[in-house]
Amino acid sequence: MQTLAHFADGGPGPWILLFPLIWAAVVVGGITLLRRTVWRGRRGPWRAPEVDDHSPIAVLGHRFASGEIDEDEYWRRLSVLDEQFGRRGKGGAA
């Protein structure tokens, strides 16, 4: 009984089945490389959210950074703002 592609006559034999797998690995590797380098930051969930400087959470952060309020006041107000606006809510930071 002859095997794949006339193995006994000098053909490639069962190793011919590896070539589609090698090409698939090359394509998947190329797409993965592009996603991690070139395409990164253009779209998708890994993109950093844009911050609105006039949102209540951003204003609170600016007040804390400038020294208008202390750390306890900052965390207390931030917890209230997170409940009301949330980080991804309608009026939140992003």
Side-chain angles (χ1 to χ4, degrees):
M1 180 173 181
Q2 294 181 348
T3 59
L4 188 66
H6 305 286
F7 180 64
D9 296 334
W15 295 104
I16 194 74
L17 296 175
L18 287 179
F19 287 110
L21 295 175
I22 292 171
W23 279 111
V26 167
V27 169
V28 168
I31 290 173
T32 302
L33 182 68
L34 287 173
R35 285 188 68 195
R36 291 183 177 261
T37 57
V38 177
W39 296 339
R40 187 175 192 103
R42 290 189 181 174
R43 64 185 187 282
W46 55 85
R47 184 176 179 182
E50 296 177 10
V51 177
D52 179 21
D53 283 338
H54 300 294
S55 71
I57 295 176
V59 170
L60 181 66
H62 290 301
R63 288 186 64 196
F64 176 64
S66 67
E68 292 179 37
I69 58 175
D70 62 350
E71 186 177 1
D72 293 332
E73 181 79 12
Y74 171 77
W75 286 111
R76 188 164 30 90
R77 290 184 184 210
L78 183 63
S79 66
V80 172
L81 288 175
D82 271 340
E83 289 175 8
Q84 185 176 4
F85 293 98
R87 293 284 177 179
R88 296 173 195 225
K90 292 181 182 176

